[in-house]
Amino acid sequence: MNQLQGVRHTFLKLTRNLLAGAVVLALGLALGTTKVQAATDTWIANSGDFNNPGNWDTAPVGGDNVVFTNNNSYTLSFNAFSPVLQNITFSGHVGVVTLNMGANVLYATNSFRVGRFDATQTVSMVSGVLYVSDGGVSQIRIGDSATNSPPVSAMGTMFVSGGTVYADAVSIGASTNSVGPLVSSGPTTVWTYDDMTYVNGGRALGNGTLTVGDGAANSSLVVSNGATLFIHGNIIVGNNADGSNNFMLVTGPSTSVSNTFGNGLRIGNGG
């Protein structure tokens, strides 16, 4: 009898231990599959170093989104490469944000937006590398109200006078109520796509288009003074029925605009 009781006690103990282990394993699997949502970090300084944690409400890390909302002019300098961010958004209402990256790189794997929602924002890039690429799905969007419903409208302006921009796809005037001038100027300015030769790139071919007026009117692209614009896909000026009164100007000695794939330059597409 005592021997049977001992066996029963051992069996019950083993059963409890197995059940406890199963619960711990289930919890571990559940926690392991929980997705962590990307944080959104806001710039809170005026001019300053992008990589200084004190210039942010929360210092950005890889996979975060960052936003710039100041309503004044200021300069972002860089003493190192940025983290590999998801989205970079400029949505101030006055002033010019100058990107002075030197020999450094500003990374975004999803989007780089100038003039988001009801913003009137200008960004001027004077040096460094802006890398907006992730295997053909990343976008630079200049003037992006994110809605086709008035009265929300956006204006984004981007000047590039030095450095290199890598972009999978570019949309200037990216939604119906948006306007987006882009000016790329100067012999040290290169606007291109990720051709997998850039040492810090995503190692996947970018294949997007450049669109001036993507269902929006009065947007423009100016390439001048020896700048280079190299697109892998189509270059479209005026897309869809509402994409009217948009223009593209290429001017100056040694200025170059070209593409390697698709139907080349389209003036008016679908409208």
Side-chain angles (χ1 to χ4, degrees):
M1 187 68 177
N2 290 335
Q3 186 176 9
L4 289 174
Q5 288 178 339
V7 170
R8 182 174 178 272
H9 175 76
T10 301
F11 175 77
L12 291 174
K13 184 177 180 181
L14 286 171
T15 302
R16 284 195 297 269
N17 289 340
L18 287 171
L19 288 173
V23 171
V24 170
L25 177 61
L27 285 172
L29 289 172
L31 292 173
T33 58
T34 300
K35 292 184 179 180
V36 178
Q37 188 173 1
T40 297
D41 312 311
T42 302
W43 180 264
I44 59 173
N46 288 310
S47 295
D49 179 11
F50 185 97
N51 301 99
N52 182 349
N55 291 331
W56 300 89
D57 64 345
T58 304
V61 296
D64 279 4
N65 306 310
V66 298
V67 295
F68 299 86
T69 59
N70 289 9
N71 291 319
N72 60 295
S73 295
Y74 54 100
T75 297
L76 302 177
S77 56
F78 291 69
N79 66 8
F81 289 10
S82 79
V84 179
L85 304 165
Q86 287 194 47
N87 300 289
I88 301 170
T89 302
F90 297 86
S91 55
H93 293 83
V94 295
V96 178
V97 183
T98 301
L99 301 179
N100 187 6
M101 294 176 282
N104 297 301
V105 183
L106 176 58
Y107 287 102
T109 59
N110 189 38
S111 70
F112 180 93
R113 296 184 175 106
V114 180
R116 180 72 165 161
F117 300 120
D118 65 343
T120 304
Q121 184 74 80
T122 299
V123 170
S124 175
M125 176 177 163
V126 299
S127 65
V129 173
L130 172 61
Y131 185 86
V132 186
S133 179
D134 189 20
V137 298
S138 306
Q139 293 189 34
I140 293 179
R141 298 173 67 85
I142 304 170
D144 185 13
S145 67
T147 177
N148 295 328
S149 300
V152 177
S153 61
M155 181 171 182
T157 302
M158 187 169 181
F159 296 99
V160 183
S161 58
T164 301
V165 178
Y166 289 88
D168 287 340
V170 183
S171 185
I172 307 166
S175 49
T176 300
N177 301 314
S178 303
V179 179
L182 168 61
V183 178
S184 186
S185 180
T188 63
T189 300
V190 177
W191 192 294
T192 187
Y193 67 98
D194 187 3
D195 59 1
M196 298 189 293
T197 62
Y198 178 49
V199 66
N200 296 298
R203 315 310 299 168
L205 183 67
N207 59 359
T209 61
L210 185 150
T211 305
V212 183
D214 195 0
N218 302 313
S219 291
S220 60
L221 168 65
V222 176
V223 187
S224 66
N225 298 325
T228 298
L229 177 68
F230 191 32
I231 300 298
H232 186 55
N234 298 318
I235 300 172
I236 300 170
V237 181
N239 193 40
N240 298 324
D242 293 325
S244 62
N245 298 316
N246 299 287
F247 76 92
M248 173 180 174
L249 174 66
V250 181
T251 183
S254 301
T255 302
S256 174
V257 174
S258 60
N259 79 321
T260 61
F261 183 77
N263 296 317
L265 174 64
R266 296 182 182 180
I267 307 297
N269 185 55

